[in-house]
Amino acid sequence: IKGETIVQFDENSKGSYPADLGARCEAWDDGHHPSCKEGEEPGIGNGWCAQKWCYVDSCNCDLPVLPGVSAYVPDARYRGRPVFFSY
């Protein structure tokens, strides 16, 4: 998918992600989130930056840890419900 998804973290901080953000389980934040860039903490490939995650259907998801509501796309809906993510 061509394009990008811009995620606004706060008034002064945003990140540019691939357009298919969350479509499959990958370390989406690595190199995209402001804290996941070279010289930052935890930095590229470290800590939560390296954790793989994806968007899931919370009604059809049997995971040991409950999925959380995505703050990255707060207005997005799937089948009328908020979008959830899982590690």
Side-chain angles (χ1 to χ4, degrees):
I1 297 175
K2 293 181 181 181
E4 66 181 347
T5 299
I6 302 297
V7 177
Q8 189 77 38
F9 299 106
D10 59 37
E11 288 182 20
N12 302 314
S13 180
K14 62 183 175 181
S16 174
Y17 289 77
D20 59 347
L21 173 67
R24 62 199 161 278
C25 286
E26 290 187 6
W28 292 101
D29 292 310
D30 215 22
H32 297 282
H33 189 284
S35 295
C36 300
K37 296 190 178 215
E38 194 68 41
E40 299 297 326
E41 286 293 325
I44 293 177
N46 297 307
W48 59 268
C49 296
Q51 284 189 308
K52 293 180 180 182
W53 62 270
C54 56
Y55 292 130
V56 297
D57 179 352
S58 64
C59 295
N60 292 310
C61 190
D62 186 22
L63 296 170
V65 177
L66 293 176
V69 175
S70 175
Y72 285 13
V73 287
D75 297 326
R77 297 285 181 265
Y78 176 73
R79 296 185 178 174
R81 296 175 187 217
V83 174
F84 287 80
F85 74 98
S86 180
Y87 289 99

